[in-house]
Amino acid sequence: MQVPLPSIDLFAVSPLIAMTVTASVLLLITIFAPRVRGAVYPLVTLAGLLVTLGFVLALLAREPVVTFSGSWRADQFSQYFGVTVLLAAMLAVLISDSWLRLHQVSQVEYYAVLVCSTAGMIVSASAYDLMTLFLGIELMSVPTYVLTGFAKHRRESNEGAMKYFLLGAFSSAILLYGMTWTYGVTGSTRFDQIASFAAQGGAARPAVLLAMLLMVAGLGFKVAAVPFHQWTPDAYQGAPTVVTAFMSVAVKAGAFAALVRLLTQALPGMLDDWRPILIVISILTMLIGNLAAIAQTDVKRMLAYSSIGHTGFMLVGLAMWSRDNTLGASSVLFYALAYVFMNLGAFGVLAWMENHGGGTTLEHMDGLFARAPAAGLALGIFLLGLMGFPLTIGLPAKVFVFLSAVRAGHTWLAVLGFLISAVAAVYYLRVLARLFAYEPRYALASPRQPLMVLGLAICATATVVFGLLFVPLLDFAERAVGS
Amino acid sequence: MELHSLLFLAFAAVALIAAVLVLLSRNPVHSVLFMLLTFVNVAAMFVLLQAEFIAVIQILVYSGAILVLFLFVVMLLAGGERPLPVLNQPLQARAAVIVGLVLVSELALVVLTSTVGGGRRGPDSPERIAAVGGNIEALGRQLYTTWLLPFEIASVLLLVAAVGAIYLAKEDL
């Protein structure tokens, strides 16, 4: 019996293959060479990530291709997010190394799980039907539940992992329910066919609307948008700081990739329905995330709330998307990449301090610049970036989002976003003042952590350099959205 | 209403009631048994929808394997009756009732405005399934041709879930 296979383009899925091979190699090393210790795991992981990045960059030169009977679409959009999450994963490997060694945490599982999560993000960004998208979201999330609880002897880590897991499973169920509704009504899970059906409208429109609501709610959990954000502070604070650094930027990028592709490629015909919803969610997210951050006394928790606030800014951009205003989507892409450097760096400095015996409360920030000038300067740069200060990448990120709102005729939303980010500057400035102006209060030990220093240096350099040379990045994002 | 639809509704009603009882029973073992009842009824609904293979899998995997594990865990861990979690948090309970009612009324609105007929049918009609030789054959073909990539991704997902679960559960080596 002959069963015809669909057209298979292995090159198009090569990033995914490279990632799964890397994860398998990591797991196999322990079986066949159990005595291997030390620097092998981060190096193998980095090598795997670099090879994957190579495939992604090679794919950039190709025309968009849809393969595996419509499950996978390799285009500039997926490669853009591929670059973003791979950079995040590489930086995460660099800053995780010393934490794993200092706490003698099992390295194999850590890196294998991290690589699988990154593979899930690549799938989320490349999926072109709902089945693949759902599996991508799960492959991205399940490893992050494990990573959150990776310090398994710490109570907060367990608590954060449990909350994240339960609410994550719940949100996945909501997402899946929305997808079954979509399939039930449109008769297809492929984005292009959903789009062609949704464009017709007709009697089935309310059902598609319900499906869209459920899917936005499910993905809203993953990007930590209000009112689906309750897990975020506990999971981000409970997780080991190096894990928080990774998942706060990479999971957000992966989930935004899914959200942007779903709304702009599968449901562009429902724009008038999802735009008001996203506007309301984005305003709530900006307000609650940033206002709650002001009240925090722990910098790690403060950054967790600030991460909710940044989701709000990104949602403004997405809400402003239309076929004539692609800046809406490309500003989200730009923001996602900018956020990698700034936020991963900020959490990275906190992890650096913890490794040196410091803490993450406000008092521990006192005089960091006097005590450790490089770390203090780096944290200062990241906080200025998150604030949206000129000469950092944070400014163009915010400006493009607000510019897209102005172009879409929602100037009031841009003004509101600007006002909220001005209010948000309060809590960043509070930390900055302590960093530079206060007397040092706590002594810091000095373990050697060369990889982490390298990672943080890359983040800080990128935050400043791309703050000046942001045009090529925006061009890349524009091309990604246009493909 | 024909017998087929009546049976479907009956199974659905039992499944729903059992699902509610899973949440409301004070004894965890009873909860698991009500869950079993839900799963068996869902399997019966699959049979009525001519998805025999899925029905068998539902019984074998969910009712057979997974629920037995549940039962083991509950019997090993839980001692006696538990308080009803719903009643402990009056504020949360009220909010949950309101949000639940909103969701149900939304669903009811969508279903009652009779939009289901306005949908588009999927490509896998009963005739096409019969043409390739039945349920299992059609599913197998689909799984290894159209859904090849998601199938492979699911295997990676299971692998990483197993690695994570073992890491979190094992003693330090």
Side-chain angles (χ1 to χ4, degrees):
Chain A
M1 184 175 73
Q2 281 284 316
V3 178
L5 275 177
S7 78
I8 287 176
D9 186 344
L10 282 180
F11 186 40
V13 293
S14 55
L16 178 59
I17 297 174
M19 293 306 279
T20 45
V21 168
T22 310
S24 314
V25 167
L26 280 166
L27 291 171
L28 289 176
I29 289 177
T30 41
I31 297 175
F32 291 107
R35 302 238 162 257
V36 169
R37 297 237 177 272
V40 172
Y41 300 115
L43 290 183
V44 170
T45 314
L46 278 178
L49 290 166
L50 274 175
V51 170
T52 314
L53 188 65
F55 281 123
V56 167
L57 293 178
L59 279 167
L60 267 179
R62 282 176 104 208
E63 287 293 301
V65 54
V66 176
T67 181
F68 280 98
S69 47
S71 300
W72 188 268
R73 186 178 154 100
D75 53 12
Q76 303 264 325
F77 182 87
S78 34
Q79 309 322 328
Y80 183 92
F81 276 105
V83 170
T84 308
V85 298
L86 285 170
L87 279 176
M90 279 188 252
L91 292 168
V93 172
L94 290 178
I95 66 168
S96 300
D97 175 59
S98 49
W99 179 78
L100 292 169
R101 281 190 291 108
L102 285 173
H103 293 259
Q104 298 187 330
V105 179
S106 175
Q107 299 202 11
V108 194
E109 284 95 344
Y110 184 88
Y111 290 121
V113 162
L114 183 89
V115 165
C116 284
S117 181
T118 314
M121 291 155 197
I122 292 176
V123 175
S124 309
S126 316
Y128 206 52
D129 78 45
L130 294 176
M131 299 284 273
T132 317
L133 180 70
F134 180 73
L135 284 165
I137 295 278
E138 285 301 284
L139 185 57
M140 166 178 93
S141 309
V142 170
T144 53
Y145 307 149
V146 179
L147 288 176
T148 307
F150 220 80
K152 57 183 172 182
H153 299 297
R154 264 186 44 227
R155 234 185 106 252
E156 308 86 63
S157 187
N158 287 329
E159 182 193 337
M162 199 64 200
K163 282 185 180 163
Y164 191 19
F165 170 68
L166 287 177
L167 284 175
F170 181 59
S171 68
S172 297
I174 293 178
L175 177 65
L176 196 56
Y177 191 43
M179 288 176 174
T180 51
W181 267 93
T182 312
Y183 176 69
V185 176
T186 64
S188 176
T189 57
R190 281 189 58 165
F191 286 2
D192 47 356
Q193 291 175 12
I194 294 170
S196 70
F197 182 84
Q200 298 166 8
R205 200 169 175 79
V208 182
L209 188 61
L210 176 73
M212 190 260 300
L213 271 175
L214 289 168
M215 289 192 287
V216 168
L219 289 172
F221 269 99
K222 306 290 180 198
V223 297
V226 177
F228 317 112
H229 67 291
Q230 274 93 348
W231 58 271
T232 318
D234 288 325
Y236 281 15
Q237 194 184 17
T241 310
V242 287
V243 172
T244 314
F246 171 69
M247 69 181 190
S248 66
V249 298
V251 172
K252 203 181 287 275
F256 260 105
L259 198 58
V260 172
R261 205 193 271 276
L262 188 68
L263 290 180
T264 65
Q265 296 191 10
L267 298 164
M270 311 282 287
L271 173 67
D272 296 334
D273 297 305
W274 56 256
R275 176 177 278 176
I277 299 170
L278 282 192
I279 290 179
V280 171
I281 294 180
S282 69
I283 293 174
L284 283 176
T285 312
M286 285 190 294
L287 273 176
I288 291 178
N290 286 312
L291 291 181
I294 296 179
Q296 304 305 319
T297 54
D298 185 311
V299 179
K300 196 174 171 189
R301 199 172 177 84
M302 182 204 94
L303 283 176
Y305 276 108
S306 116
S307 141
I308 299 174
H310 285 283
T311 297
F313 293 125
M314 292 166 80
L315 282 172
V316 170
L318 181 55
M320 292 303 122
W321 177 88
S322 66
R323 286 200 192 287
D324 313 319
N325 188 23
T326 52
L327 181 66
S330 52
S331 67
V332 175
L333 269 62
F334 184 90
Y335 210 119
L337 184 53
Y339 195 62
V340 167
F341 298 121
M342 302 185 295
N343 213 45
L344 196 141
F347 277 115
V349 177
L350 293 187
W352 182 89
M353 292 179 68
E354 282 180 341
N355 290 347
H356 286 260
T360 59
T361 59
L362 275 176
E363 284 83 41
H364 281 94
M365 302 298 137
D366 287 2
L368 180 65
F369 183 65
R371 179 79 70 193
L377 188 66
L379 186 56
I381 290 174
F382 299 136
L383 290 176
L384 286 174
L386 290 169
M387 201 164 87
F389 200 75
L391 300 183
T392 64
I393 197 169
L395 180 72
K398 281 209 173 72
V399 165
F400 293 144
V401 166
F402 297 150
L403 195 63
S404 74
V406 174
R407 278 202 197 161
H410 287 70
T411 313
W412 63 275
L413 192 57
V415 173
L416 183 65
F418 177 75
L419 287 177
I420 293 175
S421 56
V423 173
V426 170
Y427 58 83
Y428 296 122
L429 284 173
R430 207 170 46 171
V431 181
L432 281 170
R434 283 178 175 270
L435 280 181
F436 293 100
Y438 282 43
E439 285 298 311
R441 214 187 278 197
Y442 295 94
L444 290 176
S446 50
R448 237 171 57 81
Q449 24 189 348
L451 286 183
M452 176 172 246
V453 171
L454 176 66
L456 292 178
I458 294 174
C459 286
T461 316
T463 305
V464 175
V465 169
F466 289 124
L468 301 169
L469 304 171
F470 52 83
V471 177
L473 277 188
L474 184 70
D475 281 346
F476 187 13
E478 284 280 357
R479 266 182 286 130
V481 170
S483 67
Chain B
M1 200 182 284
E2 55 183 317
L3 179 67
H4 196 275
S5 311
L6 273 178
L7 273 175
F8 188 88
L9 283 179
F11 283 129
V14 177
L16 266 181
I17 293 168
V20 172
L21 288 175
V22 172
L23 298 174
L24 293 183
S25 15
R26 277 173 176 275
N27 187 331
V29 178
H30 293 176
S31 286
V32 177
L33 292 177
F34 277 123
M35 205 176 203
L36 177 68
L37 186 60
T38 309
F39 285 173
V40 172
N41 274 284
V42 170
M45 289 160 74
F46 279 130
V47 173
L48 286 178
L49 292 171
Q50 299 176 0
E52 299 87 4
F53 182 69
I54 307 277
V56 171
I57 294 292
Q58 172 86 14
I59 297 275
L60 279 182
V61 176
Y62 284 93
S63 317
I66 293 180
L67 272 190
V68 170
L69 281 180
F70 268 47
L71 212 51
F72 268 120
V73 171
V74 164
M75 285 177 167
L76 285 176
L77 293 183
E81 305 202 327
R82 54 166 195 165
L84 284 178
V86 187
L87 303 177
N88 287 349
Q89 303 270 355
L91 185 72
Q92 235 177 12
R94 255 173 252 152
V97 167
I98 294 171
V99 174
L101 281 179
V102 169
L103 187 62
V104 168
S105 46
E106 262 179 65
L107 284 171
L109 197 69
V110 169
V111 174
L112 292 179
T113 46
S114 151
T115 52
V116 178
R120 184 168 60 185
R121 278 181 189 280
D124 300 306
S125 57
E127 296 77 38
R128 273 189 56 179
I129 292 173
V132 292
N135 220 293
I136 302 175
E137 288 83 351
L139 195 72
R141 277 165 181 262
Q142 289 277 309
L143 204 55
Y144 292 104
T145 57
T146 317
W147 304 107
L148 187 59
L149 187 68
F151 181 77
E152 297 293 340
I153 296 170
S155 67
V156 183
L157 177 60
L158 290 178
L159 172 75
V160 73
V163 170
I166 291 170
Y167 169 76
L168 289 178
K170 81 176 180 191
E171 292 291 314
D172 282 326
L173 296 175

